[in-house]
Amino acid sequence: MKKKVFIALLVLVFCFFSGGIYIARSIDEVITGLENVITLHQVEFLRKDLQNKISVVQTDLLLKDSPHALPIDLFMAHATEMEKAAHVCITCHHTDEVLKTLYHFQDQIDRYMQMLSRVYTIRGEKERVDQEKNGAFAQGEAALAEVEKIVITSSEKISNRITLARNNIAETEHLLFFLISAGPLFLILIAYVFLNKFTTSVEALVDATRKIQQGDLRYRVQEKLPDEFAMLASAFNEMANSLKDQCQHMQQTERLAVVGELAVGLAHEVKNPLAGIKVSIEVLANELTLEQEDKEVFLRIINEIHRIESLLKSLLSYARPSGPAPVSLDLHQLLDTTIKSAGYSLVNPANAAKPLKEIEIVKNFSPEVPHVVADQGQMQQVFLNLMLNAIDAIPAKGVITITTQKESNAATQIIIADTGKGISPENLSKIFNPFFTTKPKGTGLGLAICKRLIELHNGTIHVSSTPGEGTTFYITLPEKQQLQGVSQ
Amino acid sequence: MPGKSYHNCSMFFAVCLFFLLATGCGDQQQHEKKANEPPGAAQSQKLKIGLISEYDIFSQKKSYEPLAAYLAKKTGTTIELSMFSRYGNLIDNFAPNGLDGAFFGSFAAALAIRKLAIQPLARPEYPNGASTYHGLIFVRKDSPIREGADMRGKRFALVDKASTAGWLLPMHYFKENAIEDYRTFFSETYFTGTHEDAVYDVLHGKADIGAAKNTVFDHLAESDSKVREELQILEISPEMPANALAVRRDLDESLKQKLKNALLRMDQDPEGKTVLRAFGAGKFIAATPKDYDPVFDYADKIGLDPATYDYINE
């Protein structure tokens, strides 16, 4: 847009200057044209003047020897004026062709003047004097005829040149009118196009803002806007995306709060009667003499009560997790402890020497990873949950690789990868949803709790999986953060 | 009261006397002031100078205009040139036309000395050192005319009856060749009025014989080679003084002197040299009435008395 505004400004300045220069040049051309017309009229006047002066001398010649004859000095003055007028023609013209004609005419005038002189000085018989006089008069007439010829020949040329000059003036005048009328129209058109583009873009953005304002958070600016407006539209769309995410997050938070309230209520309501039931069943199981089969029934009831308690505990943990008690944690030490704890699940009760599954745990810890600030118990809960899931995913034999590494953006990444059966794509997007599980006896809260705990630590958790090859979880925790309790 | 009346009269006369003296002194001061002013500072005196035509009247006047302008500048005057179509007119109209001077031909000058008592001031000396000219009688080379006897029945182009070369010389030639009455001897005689026309008339066959001065003949020959190639000179007159500036005798002496000095010093002045070059002269030399003795002698030989001579062209 800046570029276009600059170009438009340049075009305006160019139009202004070029228009100004053209108008100045046109005025100059018109003035030159008018000067030419005046000069051409002057030429006509000079030729008429020359004709008149020759006629005056001819008249003087005819009046010579008559009572009306002029004194010789006056006659000479007339003849000299005629000669000067003839000479002016030569000083005016420059083309060789015209000059040749005029030099010939000048010779005629010179000859005429010599003959006039002769008429005024010769004395002799009447016949000779008359002959000289007639000769001079004939020469004068020839000169007049020559001027007439030049006038007729050049009149057409002069007329054409005057017409041409007038046409040029008229053409320039039309062009000027065109420029004066079309120039502003052109500028208005450019301004209209420019403003139209501007207002269209602004209108599109205003419309989008109104849509968002009206609650349509899915609305995005679809129009292809020009230049900086495209950037603005892109930013607007990003903002809308963010707004939508925030809204969803808020809704999720609200939902969790509701679930938490429900869970707490439910736990309180169920926990105490359940404890009574549990104690009662245990008393009955201990005090009554029961057959082995009946004892097993009592044990199953107690186990189911334990499951209900565990479920209630998980539900409380997800809905209303206890606030983190952050400490500076050595992740590697915590992971080692967790690996050890997870290892207990592989112990075969029947044969301690032979584990239930052949799982190799590979530790790929980076020495650069620093301590992180986190709740030790919650972190251990997360790692243990993921490791147990990994053990569950491996059918009989496999590898679990635990990697730690320092990320560039002042964060630490923990990667837990298994070579288990993997997760299908349609389930992959749901695995962090509460109560989603593929296990027959799972609560579907394990990974949801993991995600919730990691987010409580301002971290992220992602998963990638290929069915048949394995699953990898990526946890990223910030190295330094301000959590309730301890800061680093 | 008589006392008071006397006093009033005395006062009146005293005032009148004061004004008279005051105005008288003023005039005297004005006069003295004028006398002390350099030439040209006061209102310039106007001089009218006459010209006769050796060449065509327009060329003749043009050739004298730079000279007149130079003299006007040097003498603090304004000079008006006045052309005369006949030599004799110059003499007749010298006084009636209010001429102060004129560039006279030698015979016209001689006549004017006798009739008008004009005073020659200066005459040109040509670049070849001559301040005189000869009269020439000439014919076409292809003409059979070689002597007086051959001229019978031919056409003779004279210049003017007040011209030495164009009249005195032919008259002298006729006398020597026993041509008693030229009017009957020739089929036609006429006066061209200029030496140039006399030369060209013969060259172009308008006349069979012509008479003109050698300075004009030579000048024309410079620009037209045919003049020398096609014309044959039959007779040459004795040397005559070149056309001189002569002024009326009663012209202010100081002005005469200024004019003369300006002319005589022209060759020492760069501007004067330029004017002289354009005029066709090397310098001006002083002229006196005695310079015209050869003209008078020549006229005397043909029995012509300048004092009574009728110079009007027929």
Side-chain angles (χ1 to χ4, degrees):
Chain A
M1 185 60 77
K2 276 183 203 165
K3 202 189 231 178
K4 283 185 180 172
V5 169
F6 186 66
I7 289 169
L9 199 65
L10 275 181
V11 167
L12 278 175
V13 170
F14 175 75
C15 286
F16 179 77
F17 275 107
S18 56
I21 289 166
Y22 181 78
I23 287 169
R25 258 192 74 190
S26 301
I27 290 168
D28 191 45
E29 276 176 16
V30 168
I31 290 168
T32 309
L34 287 172
E35 282 174 350
N36 282 341
V37 170
I38 291 166
T39 307
L40 292 169
H41 282 303
Q42 275 179 337
V43 169
E44 278 193 329
F45 167 77
L46 286 172
R47 284 179 184 160
K48 291 281 177 199
D49 182 51
L50 177 60
Q51 271 182 316
N52 289 339
K53 281 176 175 158
I54 296 174
S55 298
V56 167
V57 175
Q58 286 286 78
T59 307
D60 291 349
L61 182 63
L62 289 175
L63 289 174
K64 187 186 174 297
D65 301 327
S66 79
H68 307 291
L70 295 178
I72 188 170
D73 284 336
L74 195 51
F75 158 73
M76 285 180 73
H78 286 166
T80 306
E81 285 297 313
M82 175 193 72
E83 188 191 21
K84 282 180 187 169
H87 189 68
V88 167
C89 295
I90 289 177
T91 57
C92 285
H93 290 277
H94 301 291
T95 63
D96 289 344
E97 191 186 352
V98 179
L99 270 179
K100 197 176 167 187
T101 310
L102 289 173
Y103 278 128
H104 176 255
F105 174 70
Q106 186 72 47
D107 289 343
Q108 269 192 316
I109 291 291
D110 290 346
R111 177 79 189 125
Y112 180 44
M113 291 191 65
Q114 282 172 349
M115 292 172 88
L116 287 172
S117 165
R118 190 171 169 79
V119 170
Y120 269 79
T121 55
I122 196 168
R123 300 290 177 271
E125 291 174 9
K126 188 175 181 302
E127 191 185 344
R128 179 174 286 272
V129 173
D130 286 346
Q131 193 182 346
E132 294 297 340
K133 192 174 175 181
N134 292 338
F137 187 77
Q139 182 68 23
E141 288 300 302
L144 263 179
E146 186 76 20
V147 176
E148 190 67 31
K149 199 171 104 185
I150 293 170
V151 167
I152 291 167
T153 312
S154 58
S155 284
E156 195 181 349
K157 286 182 186 172
I158 287 174
S159 176
N160 288 340
R161 287 171 69 183
I162 288 173
T163 310
L164 188 68
R166 281 182 178 154
N167 286 344
N168 283 342
I169 291 167
E171 206 172 288
T172 310
E173 193 182 16
H174 291 153
L175 262 172
L176 272 178
F177 278 131
F178 174 76
L179 269 181
I180 289 165
S181 52
L185 282 177
F186 174 68
L187 293 178
I188 287 168
L189 187 70
I190 287 181
Y192 174 76
V193 171
F194 193 74
L195 283 176
N196 193 36
K197 274 195 168 186
F198 183 82
T199 51
T200 306
S201 304
V202 170
E203 275 170 12
L205 289 167
V206 168
D207 281 349
T209 312
R210 280 187 187 140
K211 293 271 185 194
I212 299 289
Q213 188 189 12
Q214 286 163 8
D216 186 1
L217 295 179
R218 287 171 303 173
Y219 186 82
R220 299 291 178 270
V221 180
Q222 302 293 338
E223 291 89 341
K224 201 173 178 184
L225 300 181
D227 312 313
E228 278 85 349
F229 286 108
M231 289 165 65
L232 193 57
S234 172
F236 183 88
N237 288 343
E238 282 171 20
M239 181 198 75
N241 285 336
S242 173
L243 200 58
K244 190 183 168 192
D245 289 346
Q246 291 292 330
C247 279
Q248 282 177 344
H249 185 71
M250 278 175 70
Q251 283 169 356
Q252 177 81 358
T253 307
E254 281 170 9
R255 271 204 303 272
L256 286 174
V258 171
V259 170
E261 289 299 321
L262 275 172
V264 169
L266 190 64
H268 276 290
E269 291 301 321
V270 175
K271 203 175 170 183
N272 292 333
L274 196 64
I277 292 167
K278 186 184 166 188
V279 171
S280 300
I281 292 296
E282 281 174 347
V283 169
L284 283 174
N286 290 326
E287 288 185 2
L288 292 176
T289 307
L290 296 171
E291 293 295 320
Q292 188 58 34
E293 287 179 0
D294 294 332
K295 278 187 180 178
E296 283 177 4
V297 170
F298 274 104
L299 281 174
R300 243 194 329 261
I301 290 167
I302 289 166
N303 281 341
E304 289 307 314
I305 288 169
H306 281 160
R307 267 195 70 217
I308 290 168
E309 279 178 341
S310 174
L311 180 65
L312 285 173
K313 195 177 173 186
S314 295
L315 194 60
L316 273 173
S317 178
Y318 175 72
R320 189 179 281 177
S322 57
V327 291
S328 181
L329 272 183
D330 181 351
L331 274 178
H332 294 162
Q333 196 179 357
L334 183 64
L335 283 167
D336 280 336
T337 309
T338 310
I339 289 165
K340 211 173 275 179
S341 298
Y344 293 129
S345 68
L346 292 172
V347 176
N348 188 347
N351 185 359
K354 189 182 178 187
L356 293 172
K357 294 178 184 177
E358 279 185 40
I359 294 174
E360 183 189 356
I361 294 176
V362 177
K363 292 189 284 185
N364 194 9
F365 295 167
S366 167
E368 291 178 359
V369 170
H371 286 204
V372 296
V373 175
D375 184 300
Q376 185 174 356
Q378 288 178 349
M379 282 301 106
Q380 188 172 12
Q381 186 182 349
V382 170
F383 296 147
L384 185 63
N385 193 298
L386 292 177
M387 282 183 208
L388 291 174
N389 280 347
I391 290 167
D392 283 345
I394 295 169
K397 191 178 180 184
V399 178
I400 294 172
T401 308
I402 298 163
T403 307
T404 60
Q405 59 189 28
K406 188 175 161 57
E407 285 215 318
S408 58
N409 53 349
T412 300
Q413 194 170 48
I414 305 104
I415 303 165
I416 300 170
D418 65 67
T419 57
K421 57 189 175 187
I423 306 164
S424 65
E426 63 269 21
N427 289 338
L428 196 64
S429 59
K430 300 173 190 169
I431 59 165
F432 291 113
N433 292 349
F435 307 111
F436 176 79
T437 182
T438 55
K439 296 175 187 173
K441 288 188 177 179
T443 60
L445 287 171
L447 286 174
I449 290 168
C450 286
K451 188 170 192 294
R452 184 129 168 85
L453 292 177
I454 293 298
E455 284 174 354
L456 277 175
H457 285 80
N458 299 318
T460 59
I461 181 166
H462 298 289
V463 63
S464 70
S465 181
T466 308
E469 291 184 8
T471 303
T472 307
F473 285 89
Y474 303 90
I475 297 165
T476 305
L477 289 170
E479 288 171 10
K480 295 178 183 177
Q481 61 177 320
Q482 187 76 41
L483 289 174
Q484 197 178 359
V486 173
S487 65
Q488 186 180 345
Chain B
M1 285 174 69
K4 194 174 181 181
S5 166
Y6 174 75
H7 179 73
N8 285 344
C9 284
S10 304
M11 283 294 288
F12 174 73
F13 281 115
V15 169
C16 289
L17 189 62
F18 172 76
F19 275 110
L20 280 171
L21 285 171
T23 52
C25 287
D27 285 346
Q28 194 180 352
Q29 281 168 359
Q30 196 84 9
H31 185 72
E32 283 171 4
K33 191 180 172 188
K34 272 187 182 174
N36 293 332
E37 275 174 353
Q43 192 176 4
S44 60
Q45 190 176 347
K46 190 172 179 181
L47 287 176
K48 196 170 181 182
I49 304 291
L51 297 174
I52 52 166
S53 50
E54 288 180 302
Y55 299 92
D56 80 74
I57 53 177
F58 303 107
S59 305
Q60 186 80 8
K61 193 175 180 186
K62 273 183 199 164
S63 68
Y64 276 84
E65 276 167 353
L67 181 62
Y70 177 80
L71 288 177
K73 184 179 171 186
K74 291 293 175 184
T75 57
T77 58
T78 53
I79 294 179
E80 181 194 342
L81 294 175
S82 183
M83 197 73 209
F84 287 83
S85 60
R86 298 176 204 174
Y87 290 29
N89 281 2
L90 181 57
I91 301 164
D92 285 347
N93 294 305
F94 192 88
N97 275 21
L99 291 179
D100 297 299
F103 280 91
F104 288 96
S106 58
F107 189 35
L111 291 170
I113 287 167
R114 287 292 159 87
K115 290 176 184 287
L116 305 172
I118 57 152
Q119 186 178 346
L121 294 180
R123 60 193 164 104
E125 184 182 283
Y126 300 109
N128 61 6
S131 61
T132 56
Y133 70 90
H134 300 285
L136 304 173
I137 293 175
F138 44 87
V139 294
R140 282 192 60 82
K141 281 183 179 173
D142 54 8
S143 150
I145 303 165
R146 289 294 177 269
E147 55 185 41
D150 302 330
M151 295 179 182
R152 181 178 292 279
K154 304 296 181 190
R155 298 164 298 172
F156 202 118
L158 302 158
V159 177
D160 193 284
K161 280 185 78 172
S163 159
T164 304
W167 174 254
L168 281 186
L169 169 61
M171 291 302 118
H172 186 264
Y173 185 77
F174 298 160
K175 193 174 181 183
E176 284 196 339
N177 286 273
I179 299 169
E180 293 293 330
D181 186 358
Y182 70 91
R183 293 178 195 80
T184 55
F185 184 77
F186 293 99
S187 63
E188 183 192 0
T189 55
Y190 66 98
F191 298 95
T192 59
T194 70
H195 294 268
E196 180 184 12
D197 283 339
V199 174
Y200 279 132
D201 277 8
V202 176
L203 185 68
H204 299 143
K206 285 184 176 179
D208 302 306
I209 312 138
K213 54 169 53 174
N214 72 317
T215 49
V216 176
F217 187 94
D218 292 341
H219 182 71
L220 295 176
E222 281 174 18
S223 57
D224 187 352
S225 59
K226 284 181 183 175
V227 172
R228 218 178 287 285
E229 287 166 6
E230 297 181 17
L231 295 182
Q232 176 72 48
I233 295 166
L234 298 183
E235 183 71 7
I236 301 173
S237 77
E239 283 187 352
M240 300 295 167
N243 289 11
L245 173 66
V247 295
R248 59 185 167 87
R249 187 158 291 275
D250 57 348
L251 187 69
D252 182 62
E253 278 304 322
S254 66
L255 190 54
K256 277 185 207 173
Q257 203 54 46
K258 280 182 193 170
L259 280 169
K260 190 169 183 174
N261 288 341
L263 285 167
L264 297 183
R265 291 171 187 167
M266 273 183 84
D267 59 322
Q268 295 156 26
D269 173 21
E271 188 185 351
K273 275 183 181 176
T274 309
V275 175
L276 279 171
R277 224 175 1 257
F279 188 68
K283 64 177 179 179
F284 272 90
I285 58 170
T288 63
K290 198 168 171 49
D291 294 342
Y292 295 89
D293 284 351
V295 184
F296 290 120
D297 292 343
Y298 206 49
D300 191 46
K301 281 181 185 173
I302 57 173
L304 193 150
D305 178 8
T308 58
Y309 173 59
D310 178 14
Y311 42 75
I312 301 301
N313 296 328
E314 293 150 5

